[in-house]
Amino acid sequence: KGKRAFIAGVADDNGYGWAIAKSLAAAGAEILVGTWVPALNIFESSLRRGKFDESRVLPNGSLMEITKVYPLDAVFDNPEDVPEDIKANKRYAGSSKWTVQEVAESVKQDFGSIDILVHSLANGPEVTKPLLETSRKGYLAAISASSGSSISLTYIASERIIPGYGGGMSSAKAALESDTKVLAFEAGRKHKIRVNTISAGPLRSRAAKAIGFIDMMIDYSLENAPLQKELSADEVGNTAAFLVSPLASAITGAVIYVDNGLNAMGVGV
Ligand code: NAD
């Protein structure tokens, strides 16, 4: 039977989440997505108006179907956690049941269960600030939105110095990679669930453009990585499809680099 996947962090057709959804759909999975509440309207209307049709085309020529789009804000577990100003915000007030626990309950009600969970979201409100100048609030917000998960997307800034990847985002990715290992143990022993993360190279996504130096990182990689080609989101999507498939049945607790090999370099040449 086909597997059912929930991909958190899809709000347009440019990012890693979209590419992962496509690779999973091409492999026969049913696709559910979680979309950040403030981005929900524009995503759903673009989807409806056919703006993404070109990027929905799968290798066999059919179009990827998204069975359901759930509004989601991953920093709140349940309605008691939501502050008044967010509750009153009109972009949030138009949707309901978007906290993590409520979305999990809705998916359970709608479909019973899922087979694959993908975390492809991040938010560092102070990502453009150096860590030294990051506020406690900004730091905790980065950790809150950007760590946790079953398969997730991380970045090498967790383990090496990447100047400019600030606001506690490097810390959030370090937490994510550590959690990947501990969760692999706990979920593996308890439920036989595998937990992995992909350390992806630079991609010109909406989130990455907000950091401000993405073009420089892409150029740097082109110049210095073992494979001198631009990284496509599909290459990350295909790796995610592999990792969640039975082909990867002995892989858990792993950080898999999909970065044209840049992580292996000591110095640029
Ligand atoms: P993206 O903009 O496509 O995805 C990020 C998504 O997170 C957006 O859809 C946004 O709406 C959503 N989001 C933000 N805060 C949220 C919240 N509180 N609740 C729910 N959703 C929320 O950009 P992307 O670059 O494809 O990012 C996907 C993942 O890949 C992130 O974890 C990112 O850190 C990681 N990553 C990206 C790069 C890169 O160069 N683009 C490199 C390595 C890792």
Side-chain angles (χ1 to χ4, degrees), residues 9-12 14-17 35-36 39 72-75 119-123 145 153-155 165 169 173 200-208 214:
V10 179
D12 60 40
N14 289 319
Y16 283 133
T35 300
W36 197 25
L72 168 71
D73 194 316
V75 304
H119 177 282
S120 184
L121 61 91
N123 192 9
L153 273 298
T154 187
Y155 185 47
Y165 195 72
M169 279 305 297
K173 293 307 194 189
L203 174 78
R204 209 176 278 100
S205 65
R206 191 189 175 105
I214 187 67

Side-chain angles (χ1 to χ4, degrees), residues 19 28 52 69 74 78 85 102 112 131 134 153 156 168-169 181 184 205:
F52 300 139
V69 178
N78 51 55
D85 58 321
E102 290 171 297
L131 187 55
T134 297
L153 273 298
I156 195 167
M169 279 305 297
K181 293 176 189 143
S205 65

Side-chain angles (χ1 to χ4, degrees), residues 140-157:
L140 293 175
I143 302 268
S144 176
S146 315
S147 47
S149 185
S150 186
I151 192 164
S152 63
L153 273 298
T154 187
Y155 185 47
I156 195 167

Side-chain angles (χ1 to χ4, degrees), residues 157-219:
S158 60
E159 43 173 330
R160 300 287 158 80
I161 301 165
I162 307 286
Y165 195 72
M169 279 305 297
S170 56
S171 327
K173 293 307 194 189
L176 179 61
E177 290 175 27
S178 175
D179 293 349
T180 297
K181 293 176 189 143
V182 178
L183 288 175
F185 170 72
E186 294 180 0
R189 289 292 174 89
K190 205 167 168 190
H191 306 292
K192 297 195 169 73
I193 289 174
R194 297 185 295 108
V195 185
N196 294 296
T197 187
I198 294 174
S199 187
L203 174 78
R204 209 176 278 100
S205 65
R206 191 189 175 105
K209 279 190 265 184
I211 307 173
F213 64 97
I214 187 67
D215 290 312
M216 196 195 94
M217 296 311 281
I218 291 172
D219 291 344

